[in-house]
Amino acid sequence: AALYSGDYTLAEQEFQTAIEKDDTHAKAFFNYGVFLLYAVNRPADAITQWERVIELNPDPEMVSTARNWIALADEQLRTPPNFDTTPQN
């Protein structure tokens, strides 16, 4: 609920609480990674969460999807921001 209301601080706390309650819940790690990448722009932290999904190895499809997300976040880390430097009139 906090995520959808835009309270990212509370949303992150909720993800962390869920993971603390069950540190084998791969989907919680997976969703936390998506949150970290898209909501708060922390691709390195997101990769850490998806690596945990792979370690838990819940099912081949989730592992494959986590690897795809890792590649996406890794690309984001390696690509410098592209700011428009065209003078504005």
Side-chain angles (χ1 to χ4, degrees):
L3 174 61
Y4 298 110
S5 71
D7 187 344
Y8 294 155
T9 301
L10 180 57
E12 184 160 13
Q13 290 171 352
E14 289 176 349
F15 278 114
Q16 291 171 348
T17 298
I19 288 168
E20 287 171 9
K21 287 183 179 179
D22 182 358
D23 66 354
T24 64
H25 195 276
K27 194 166 186 175
F29 286 99
F30 184 88
N31 290 336
Y32 187 28
V34 174
F35 165 80
L36 290 168
L37 181 64
Y38 284 111
V40 293
N41 193 30
R42 291 174 23 209
D45 293 334
I47 289 170
T48 299
Q49 301 310 310
W50 294 317
E51 287 172 342
R52 181 70 176 133
V53 170
I54 293 168
E55 288 172 17
L56 292 170
N57 196 18
D59 68 74
E61 185 175 335
M62 186 176 277
V63 168
S64 176
T65 303
R67 286 189 175 123
N68 290 337
W69 280 92
I70 288 171
L72 177 73
D74 188 53
E75 180 67 25
Q76 189 175 9
L77 285 170
R78 290 186 282 120
T79 305
N82 185 12
F83 298 109
D84 182 2
T85 58
T86 306
Q88 303 297 312
N89 295 328

